[in-house]
Amino acid sequence: MGCFSISTVLFFIVLYAVFLHAHSTTHWQDIEVLKQLKNSVDPNSVSPGSCLNSWDFSVDPCDNLGGEKFTCGLRCDLVVSSVSRVTELALDQWNYSGSLTSVSWNLPYLQNLDITNNAFSGSVPESLSNLTRVQRVGLSGNSLSGSIPSSLGSLSNLEKLYLDNNFLDGEIPQSFNGLKNLKRLEIQGNQITGEFPELDQLINLNFIDASDNAISGELPASFPASLIELAMRNNSIEGNIPASLIGLNFVQVIDLSHNKLSGSVPASLFTHPSLEQLTLSYNQFGSVQEPGISFQNSQLIAADLSNNEIRGLLPGFLGLMPRLSSLSLENNKLSGMIPTQYALKMVFPGEGVSQFERLLLGGNYLFGPIPGPLLDLKAGSVTVRLGDNCLYRCPLRLFLCEGGEQKSLSECQAFGPIIP
């Protein structure tokens, strides 16, 4: 009886390993979850040409990707010899409907779950916490309702969470402080209530959008130090702007418009080392604090303080800020004359200073003549609105004065003394 040489044995071992890799099989547990997902979808919403319509479990999913069956929606990586695991599940935007709660979500190697812009309803499954390696969860643009499950806070590898534009209610779970790697949180366009929690333990979080909800109470006393953009417009947030928000060294965009914030707009927002866009319109601020001369290092490009209760004279320092090119103070209770520095910044800004390209001052009680430099501007060159004030000689035919006739003499006199 002959015997094989060592080299021959090694050859067959390698050949066998290659054969197994070429014909890998999907882990049975992953197949079960995929079946659960397809069965949870209303068959009437699975149309020809859609991803789910191509899911045919008469063949192995991971071994048939890109063929006539399982044409899309999945990605698999070989994790253990001969066994593939599903690492990405991204459905097409085909208006699939149904509930996600009957799915066990036992996909321990999944890194990306994306079912955005469909019509799934019911609650967000508690069982999503089984996705222990997931880095991105996208449930945006569905019809999900109920509260956000606190179990999501256990997803320690999660970097991006998209729950926006659903019908979710209740409060944001305190357990979110467990999302240590979270970088982006989008929960806008829901019906979320209660106070926004302190998420200062999330040292990697740089983007929060909680706009268009019913969040109330005051802003949290602390924010993640890594925050770059904060949007919480169109809620019911009260109180003042906390020092913690001003102290964020990297923040570039703050949008707190359409809330119930009051008090003074802090001077330090105009001297901030990184803030570029500030939107505080449609609140109840009564004044703007003067920052002194330190605003010369400001990075602010656009400021919208319109539709508040701001009184007093137009803040002169805003006409001297080096990078500010868009300013709206419309629909407040500001009075006095238009500062010369506003006109010069629009016409002769000077070297190294950005020109006002957008200056909206309508709907106040400004009086006196229009500064001469502004009268030299040509229609279409910049955007200026001075209508609905107490200005001398500001007819509607002048493009600067479009947006409303000047207030009547009696209305202006009732507010305060004017200069004819």
Side-chain angles (χ1 to χ4, degrees):
M1 183 177 177
C3 59
F4 292 103
S5 66
I6 295 177
S7 59
T8 303
V9 173
L10 289 175
F11 171 80
F12 280 109
I13 291 174
V14 172
L15 184 64
Y16 180 68
V18 170
F19 176 82
L20 288 179
H21 278 257
H23 299 278
S24 61
T25 57
T26 309
H27 194 281
W28 67 267
Q29 179 178 291
D30 294 7
I31 295 176
E32 183 62 28
V33 174
L34 297 179
K35 288 180 178 179
Q36 292 172 2
L37 177 58
K38 185 169 183 180
N39 291 335
S40 71
V41 176
D42 183 351
N44 295 322
S45 67
V46 181
S47 305
S50 67
C51 272
L52 284 181
N53 189 63
S54 74
W55 285 17
D56 184 342
F57 292 96
S58 65
V59 300
D60 185 88
C62 291
D63 200 35
N64 286 272
L65 295 182
E68 294 181 358
K69 301 172 182 179
F70 291 97
T71 59
C72 55
L74 294 179
R75 175 186 158 200
C76 300
D77 287 324
L78 196 64
V79 176
V80 181
S81 179
S82 81
V83 179
S84 288
R85 304 304 300 250
V86 175
T87 56
E88 181 171 336
L89 178 52
L91 297 184
D92 49 343
Q93 299 175 12
W94 207 270
N95 210 36
Y96 299 119
S97 60
S99 173
L100 301 172
T101 54
S102 60
V103 183
S104 67
W105 297 108
N106 286 318
L107 296 171
Y109 289 88
L110 195 74
Q111 297 173 9
N112 179 27
L113 173 64
D114 188 351
I115 61 169
T116 58
N117 296 324
N118 280 287
F120 289 102
S121 57
S123 59
V124 177
E126 293 269 358
S127 54
L128 287 179
S129 60
N130 292 329
L131 304 175
T132 53
R133 286 182 175 86
V134 74
Q135 297 175 3
R136 183 184 185 276
V137 172
L139 305 179
S140 309
N142 284 280
S143 297
L144 300 171
S145 57
S147 59
I148 301 172
S150 59
S151 59
L152 293 184
S154 66
L155 300 176
S156 58
N157 291 301
L158 190 63
E159 296 181 1
K160 298 178 181 179
L161 178 59
Y162 301 90
L163 300 175
D164 53 286
N165 296 296
N166 282 285
F167 298 97
L168 301 174
D169 55 27
E171 299 185 4
I172 301 168
Q174 292 286 344
S175 64
F176 272 21
N177 260 312
L179 302 175
K180 302 300 184 183
N181 287 297
L182 193 66
K183 297 178 180 178
R184 190 177 187 96
L185 175 62
E186 296 202 27
I187 54 174
Q188 70 271 21
N190 283 288
Q191 300 165 4
I192 295 170
T193 57
E195 294 189 7
F196 194 87
E198 294 187 19
L199 300 177
D200 54 308
Q201 297 180 41
L202 305 186
I203 60 174
N204 296 299
L205 187 60
N206 53 49
F207 183 97
I208 296 175
D209 194 342
S211 305
D212 303 313
N213 280 290
I215 298 171
S216 59
E218 298 187 355
L219 290 167
S222 59
F223 284 92
S226 54
L227 202 60
I228 294 175
E229 183 166 341
L230 173 66
M232 297 181 69
R233 62 185 173 275
N234 197 25
N235 282 285
S236 298
I237 302 170
E238 302 174 331
N240 302 322
I241 295 179
S244 60
L245 182 57
I246 302 166
L248 297 174
N249 291 329
F250 306 107
V251 70
Q252 296 177 8
V253 177
I254 296 176
D255 186 350
L256 299 173
S257 59
H258 294 268
N259 278 288
K260 300 178 181 179
L261 295 167
S262 58
S264 294
V265 179
S268 48
L269 287 175
F270 303 103
T271 61
H272 198 280
S274 62
L275 185 62
E276 296 180 357
Q277 181 178 324
L278 176 64
T279 307
L280 299 176
S281 56
Y282 291 93
N283 278 286
Q284 299 169 10
F285 291 106
S287 61
V288 177
Q289 294 179 359
E290 295 273 346
I293 62 172
S294 54
F295 65 83
Q296 295 292 345
N297 295 320
S298 170
Q299 301 299 307
L300 198 62
I301 296 172
D304 187 351
L305 308 180
S306 63
N307 295 280
N308 279 282
E309 301 291 326
I310 301 173
R311 292 176 175 266
L313 304 178
L314 284 173
F317 74 92
L318 291 172
L320 300 173
M321 297 187 68
R323 299 192 64 195
L324 191 65
S325 60
S326 178
L327 174 63
S328 179
L329 290 165
E330 284 189 309
N331 302 319
N332 281 287
K333 292 182 169 62
L334 293 160
S335 58
M337 301 177 69
I338 300 174
T340 304
Q341 52 264 44
Y342 280 45
L344 293 176
K345 186 173 174 61
M346 179 150 277
V347 182
F348 309 111
E351 185 177 355
V353 177
S354 297
Q355 177 189 21
F356 267 148
E357 298 177 1
R358 182 179 174 87
L359 179 62
L360 309 181
L361 303 177
N364 282 287
Y365 292 85
L366 304 176
F367 56 73
I370 299 174
L374 294 183
L375 296 174
D376 295 330
L377 294 170
K378 304 297 182 183
S381 60
V382 291
T383 301
V384 184
R385 288 209 293 260
L386 302 178
D388 193 22
N389 275 292
C390 303
L391 295 169
Y392 177 60
R393 290 183 180 174
C394 192
L396 286 176
R397 67 177 181 273
L398 187 63
F399 87 94
L400 302 171
C401 303
E402 294 175 355
E405 296 183 359
Q406 297 299 298
K407 291 181 170 69
S408 66
L409 181 62
S410 59
E411 187 177 2
C412 292
Q413 288 177 330
F415 183 79
I418 63 171
I419 300 175

